[in-house]
């Protein structure tokens, strides 16, 4: 089955056809680094992590670019968010940028989000932004006003095609919103004149100033992927004005399509305590949970499971109940994986379960089928959970399982649940040494309990079992030895 993607540009599911056979260029709008990242950011970047992983799983040579906005993200009153945060903390703007850029990558690493191939910063690409602005002025799509440069939305007949917003809808907005320099309310800043006290400033043909927010993505996407590329991703909340403005300025500057497929993630919402209705989790509303705080109570894979049980394009409501359900679902799958891997340690060559390998092949084919349907991770998880039920039945049967069958099952979990979805770690606890130490310590206690039982010291044996149970580690004595799982 060919890969299908719901293209927001056109509002329909389309067969994915990359511009170059076997190669894909993907640009995803990255964070504005002025505060710690929250779970709303996790939803977007975990979702696109799975998109990137699956494209590579299917054999595509992917070039994944995700920017860092460290200048130019203007608030409604045209204050730069970085400068506002720097003033609040009495810090230098680049101090803020470095602190929260590092924090962002720490969070993504902790969640198992693989880093993009290129993470360009807006402040490092001001010359490219100036060059694109000069082209837009020359083409008659932008105008200079008192040292600032604005894009003229009326010069672009296609403006609004992504968000389906008509320029005429902006006509009656107040002059306060328009600003003294704008010709039209929807015109947006490509370059802003810097007041003497403005710290972030660069020389330009129009005087000392700084770039607007939207121009950075157009300039950096063009630099690393070309004027026309395959996939553009981001959050649905930025469809207007950010993504809409990207398209307008890029296509007017280059006279060709910008991105061929637009993928936008649904928002992570929380219930308003007063109204009881879902509202977007955001820094501005103060209703957010940072990724760092969430990781204090949940494993990274549990947070990923919560995110991926909803389709990337759908909104999802955050709650402790939803996270508890995700935790339970992930543990159900991981208990089977733990038991499987423990059995592999003592498996012999005799194998009466090799016929199960056909079931594994069917699971892989079904997984590919549902993921080819617009990266449908909820159905991908369902395929793995269906497999898990049958694996548990097999492991708890009298069938003599050899290393060949056990290794084949483990490889399926590792490639689909681990390699694509990032839910099944190669070792318990992720790729870190902490997981190895945890599993090793549990095994030492199991061995100590076995020696106590051999010595008929049942009080000591029961004490070890009960203390482990108090920590959420459940022991199960079987004919082929003792195995453990997390409760």
């Amino acid at each position: 089955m060919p890969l299908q993607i719901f293209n927001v540009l056109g509002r329909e599911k389309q067969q994915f056809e990359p511009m170059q056979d076997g190669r894909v260029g993907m640009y995803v709008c990255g964070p504005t680094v002025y505060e710690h990242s929250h779970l709303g950011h996790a939803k977007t970047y975990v979702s696109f992590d799975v998109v990137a992983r699956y494209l590579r799983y299917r054999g595509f040579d992917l070039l994944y670019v995700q920017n860092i906005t460290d200048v130019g993200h203007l608030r409604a009153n045209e204050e730069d968010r970085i400068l506002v945060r720097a003033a609040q903390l009495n810090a230098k703007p680049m101090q803020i940028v470095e602190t929260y850029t590092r924090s962002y990558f720490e969070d993504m690493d902790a969640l198992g989000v693989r880093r993009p191939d290129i993470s360009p910063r807006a402040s490092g690409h001001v010359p490219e932004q100036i060059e694109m602005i000069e082209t837009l002025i020359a083409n008659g799509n932008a105008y200079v006003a008192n040292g600032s440069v604005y894009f003229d939305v009326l010069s672009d007949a296609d403006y609004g095609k992504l968000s389906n917003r008509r320029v005429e809808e902006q006509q009656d907005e107040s002059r306060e919103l328009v600003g003294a320099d704008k010709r039209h309310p929807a015109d947006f800043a490509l370059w802003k004149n810097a007041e003497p006290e403005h710290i972030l400033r660069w020389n330009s043909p129009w005087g000392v100033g700084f770039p607007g927010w939207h121009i950075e993505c157009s300039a950096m996407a063009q630099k690393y992927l070309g004027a026309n590329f395959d996939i553009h991703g981001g959050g649905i909340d930025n469809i207007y004005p950010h993504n809409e403005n990207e398209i307008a300025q890029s296509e007017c500057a280059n006279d060709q399509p910008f991105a061929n497929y637009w993928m936008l993630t649904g928002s992570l919402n929380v219930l308003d305590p007063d109204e009881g209705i879902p509202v977007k989790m955001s820094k501005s509303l103060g209703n957010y949970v940072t990724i760092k705080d969430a990781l204090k109570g949940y494993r990274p894979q549990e947070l990923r499971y919560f995110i991926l049980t909803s389709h990337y394009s759908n909104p999802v409501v955050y709650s402790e109940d939803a996270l508890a359900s995700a935790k339970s679902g992930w543990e159900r799958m991981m208990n089977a994986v733990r038991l499987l891997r423990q059995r592999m340690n003592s498996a012999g060559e005799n194998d009466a379960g090799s016929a199960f390998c056909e079931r594994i092949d069917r699971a892989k084919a079904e997984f590919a089928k549902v993921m080819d349907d617009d990266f449908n991770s909820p159905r991908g998880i369902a395929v793995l959970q269906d497999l898990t039920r049958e694996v548990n039945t097999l492991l708890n049967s009298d069938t003599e399982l050899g290393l060949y069958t056990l290794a084949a099952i483990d490889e399926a979990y590792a490639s689909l649940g681990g390699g694509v979805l990032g839910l099944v770690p190669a070792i318990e606890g992720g790729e870190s040494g902490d997981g190895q130490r945890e599993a090793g310590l549990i095994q030492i206690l199991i061995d100590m309990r076995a020696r106590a039982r051999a010595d008929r010291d049942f009080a000591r044996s029961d004490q070890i079992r009960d203390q482990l149970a108090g920590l959420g580690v459940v022991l199960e004595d079987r004919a082929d030895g003792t195995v453990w799982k997390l409760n």
Side-chain angles (χ1 to χ4, degrees), residues 39 268-271 281 297-299 301-310 315-332 381:
L39 287 177
L268 182 69
N269 298 325
V270 295
L271 290 179
M281 180 181 286
Y298 296 92
R299 294 181 180 88
Q301 294 84 7
E302 293 165 352
L303 295 177
R304 288 181 71 102
Y305 195 100
F306 162 67
I307 291 168
L308 297 177
T309 49
S310 173
V316 62
V317 177
Y318 163 87
S319 70
E320 287 300 322
D321 287 345
L323 283 177
S325 177
K327 175 183 174 68
S328 176
W330 181 78
E331 277 292 353
R332 187 163 54 251
I381 289 174

Side-chain angles (χ1 to χ4, degrees), residues 292-459:
K292 288 175 171 53
D293 284 342
L295 286 170
K296 293 175 183 177
Y298 296 92
R299 294 181 180 88
Q301 294 84 7
E302 293 165 352
L303 295 177
R304 288 181 71 102
Y305 195 100
F306 162 67
I307 291 168
L308 297 177
T309 49
S310 173
H311 191 268
Y312 76 84
S313 64
N314 292 337
V316 62
V317 177
Y318 163 87
S319 70
E320 287 300 322
D321 287 345
L323 283 177
S325 177
K327 175 183 174 68
S328 176
W330 181 78
E331 277 292 353
R332 187 163 54 251
M333 182 167 60
M334 280 305 301
N335 282 333
V337 173
R338 293 186 193 103
L339 178 57
L340 169 72
R341 291 174 177 175
Q342 291 171 55
R343 290 282 293 274
M344 288 174 66
N345 292 330
S346 57
E349 295 299 323
N350 293 332
D351 199 338
S354 57
F356 194 78
C357 292
E358 295 182 7
R359 174 65 183 89
I360 299 170
D361 290 340
R362 291 198 303 273
K364 288 182 175 181
E366 181 63 21
F367 183 87
K369 179 180 178 181
V370 300
M371 290 297 289
D372 276 344
D373 184 14
D374 197 24
F375 307 97
N376 199 322
S377 62
R379 294 180 62 192
I381 289 174
V383 169
L384 287 177
Q385 290 291 17
D386 287 343
L387 178 64
T388 295
R389 282 189 285 272
E390 296 186 44
V391 167
N392 276 326
T393 299
L394 180 66
L395 292 175
N396 288 288
S397 71
D398 295 331
T399 305
E400 186 176 3
L401 300 175
L403 187 59
Y404 175 81
T405 297
L406 295 171
I409 299 171
D410 185 58
E411 188 278 331
Y413 279 114
S415 61
L416 308 181
V420 176
L421 299 179
L423 297 175
V424 179
I427 55 176
E428 182 68 10
E431 302 295 336
S432 69
D434 291 342
Q436 289 178 311
R437 283 191 290 272
E438 178 183 300
L441 289 170
I442 292 172
Q443 190 59 51
I444 289 172
L445 290 169
I446 290 174
D447 293 342
M448 289 173 61
R449 177 172 176 267
R451 287 195 294 272
R453 296 178 73 187
D455 294 339
R456 305 188 67 78
D457 186 354
F458 297 115

Side-chain angles (χ1 to χ4, degrees), residues 258-283:
F258 183 39
N260 295 337
Y261 300 85
W262 281 83
M263 299 175 61
L264 300 179
T265 58
S267 299
L268 182 69
N269 298 325
V270 295
L271 290 179
D272 183 277
D274 298 322
E275 302 293 334
I277 59 174
V279 294
K280 178 191 168 188
M281 180 181 286
S282 69
K283 294 173 183 174

Side-chain angles (χ1 to χ4, degrees), residues 25-78:
M26 181 169 74
Y27 185 95
V28 173
C29 291
T32 302
V33 284
Y34 67 99
E35 181 56 280
H36 294 301
S37 300
H38 57 68
L39 287 177
H41 300 116
K43 183 179 188 301
T44 293
Y45 300 121
V46 167
S47 296
F48 280 107
D49 178 54
V50 170
V51 170
R53 287 168 177 252
Y54 187 64
L55 288 170
R56 288 175 172 138
Y57 174 81
R58 283 184 105 264
F60 288 107
D61 179 10
L62 173 68
L63 177 56
Y64 179 11
V65 180
Q66 181 192 114
N67 68 298
I68 296 291
T69 298
D70 59 355
V71 66
H73 190 165
L74 305 182
R75 295 154 59 103
N77 61 0
E78 298 197 333

